[in-house]
């Protein structure tokens, strides 16, 4: 157990709908990252939040958005769902620090993921 | 594109044998991490090696890092059935938009 929890475990939506996924970080961590993992592939970085601000974004369209709250829990929102959004969504928390405009990390602790199916 | 690429994509060995997986990456890094994933579940952190380290051990795991070749290897000694999983390397790149990027993974199967 990593101490990182995600909800819901599974979710089925239809194309065009919106979805919100939630992540509760490990105690003491200030950074949360979200990943999309398609079947048989490695996790693809969506974005990261460090101290409640977006700190890097992968190659995902603006309909993927997020929030990090003062308690460092986080949400991933996806609007206008497409069939290709079907995947396992993973969040990971870590303790990061900023050095000269870049951020360095310790290891990430992953939650169990949310399996999203878009029909 | 992926920063890290694992090699081989799939590996099947006999229980008790050693398993070696390799990872290559493209840009300078702060550190490199190895993760294990069982059957599409959450990833488990195995080991982190920093850019100024060359080798690190943790139990039956041995990781090497060659920054001149931009490559790393993960060795699992005396493999067990429970080691059957997918293994991913992830790099923490030195960039202003720092983020950790995963490779596509090696699927390891341990035959009894």
């Amino acid at each position: 157990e990593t101490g990182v929890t995600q909800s819901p475990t599974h979710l089925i939506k239809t194309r065009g709908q919106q979805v919100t996924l939630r992540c509760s970080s490990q105690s003491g961590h200030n950074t949360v990252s979200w990943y999309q993992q398609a079947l048989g592939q490695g996790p693809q970085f969506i974005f990261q939040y460090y101290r409640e601000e977006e700190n890097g974004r992968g190659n995902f369209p603006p309909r993927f958005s997020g929030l990090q709250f003062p308690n460092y829990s986080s949400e991933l929102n996806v609007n206008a769902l497409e069939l290709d959004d079907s995947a396992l969504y993973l969040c990971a928390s870590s303790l990061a620090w900023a050095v000269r405009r870049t951020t360095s990390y310790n290891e990430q602790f992953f939650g169990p993921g949310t399996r999203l199916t878009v029909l | 594109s992926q920063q890290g690429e694992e090699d081989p994509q799939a590996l099947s060995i006999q229980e008790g044998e050693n398993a070696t997986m390799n990872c290559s990456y493209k840009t300078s890094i702060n550190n490199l991490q190895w993760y294990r994933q069982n059957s599409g579940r959450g990833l488990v952190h195995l080991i982190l090696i920093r850019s100024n380290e060359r080798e690190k051990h943790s139990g039956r795991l041995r990781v090497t890092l060659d920054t001149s070749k931009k490559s790393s290897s993960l060795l699992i000694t005396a493999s067990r059935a429970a080691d059957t999983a997918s293994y991913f390397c992830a790099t923490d790149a030195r960039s202003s938009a720092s983020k950790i990027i995963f490779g596509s993974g090696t699927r390891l199967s341990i035959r009894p």
Side-chain angles (χ1 to χ4, degrees), chain B:
Chain B
S1 62
Q2 304 273 33
Q3 159 77 318
E5 292 296 335
E6 287 88 343
D7 169 56
Q9 291 186 332
L11 180 61
S12 179
I13 61 172
Q14 203 75 30
E15 191 169 14
E17 293 180 336
N18 296 341
T20 299
M21 289 159 272
N22 302 297
C23 169
S24 60
Y25 57 91
K26 297 174 184 174
T27 64
S28 296
I29 60 172
N30 292 316
N31 63 59
L32 184 145
Q33 304 174 41
W34 284 90
Y35 290 83
R36 184 185 73 228
Q37 185 178 39
N38 291 85
S39 303
R41 301 169 73 178
L43 281 81
V44 174
H45 179 266
L46 296 176
I47 199 164
L48 179 152
I49 186 165
R50 301 197 185 278
S51 60
N52 61 352
E53 297 175 311
R54 292 296 167 259
E55 187 171 313
K56 206 161 183 180
H57 297 255
S58 177
R60 294 184 295 114
L61 307 180
R62 173 180 165 242
V63 167
T64 62
L65 179 65
D66 187 336
T67 53
S68 66
K69 294 181 180 178
K70 293 187 170 56
S71 67
S72 174
S73 68
L74 170 66
L75 169 67
I76 303 174
T77 60
S79 63
R80 305 168 181 169
D83 295 330
T84 295
S86 291
Y87 291 82
F88 296 91
C89 69
T91 51
D92 172 10
R94 287 179 184 166
S95 69
S96 59
S98 296
K99 49 189 178 287
I100 296 178
I101 301 176
F102 284 81
S104 52
T106 292
R107 288 178 295 283
L108 176 64
S109 297
I110 309 299
R111 302 189 303 272

Side-chain angles (χ1 to χ4, degrees), chain A residues 12-32:
Chain A
I12 299 175
K13 291 284 189 178
T14 56
R15 196 169 48 183
Q17 285 189 309
Q18 178 266 343
V19 69
T20 297
L21 310 181
R22 294 180 174 81
C23 172
S24 178
S25 300
Q26 187 169 11
S27 177
H29 285 181
N30 58 10
T31 302
V32 64

Side-chain angles (χ1 to χ4, degrees), chain A residues 47-119:
Chain A
F47 44 57
Q48 180 186 86
Y49 282 83
Y50 171 61
R51 293 185 173 180
E52 303 178 56
E53 292 191 1
E54 189 176 290
N55 180 45
R57 188 180 182 93
N59 189 26
F60 281 81
R63 59 190 185 84
F64 285 78
S65 63
L67 282 172
Q68 187 183 29
F69 300 101
N71 66 355
Y72 298 128
S73 64
S74 176
E75 286 182 355
L76 164 65
N77 298 289
V78 187
N79 294 323
L81 284 167
E82 301 177 358
L83 298 179
D84 285 348
D85 295 334
S86 294
L88 180 69
Y89 288 84
L90 298 161
C91 78
S93 75
S94 59
L95 182 61
W97 61 95
V99 176
R100 289 195 293 272
R101 295 173 59 83
T102 65
T103 314
S104 295
Y105 310 93
N106 288 318
E107 59 266 33
Q108 295 186 110
F109 294 85
F110 280 82
T114 293
R115 174 75 60 186
L116 173 65
T117 302
V118 182
L119 302 176

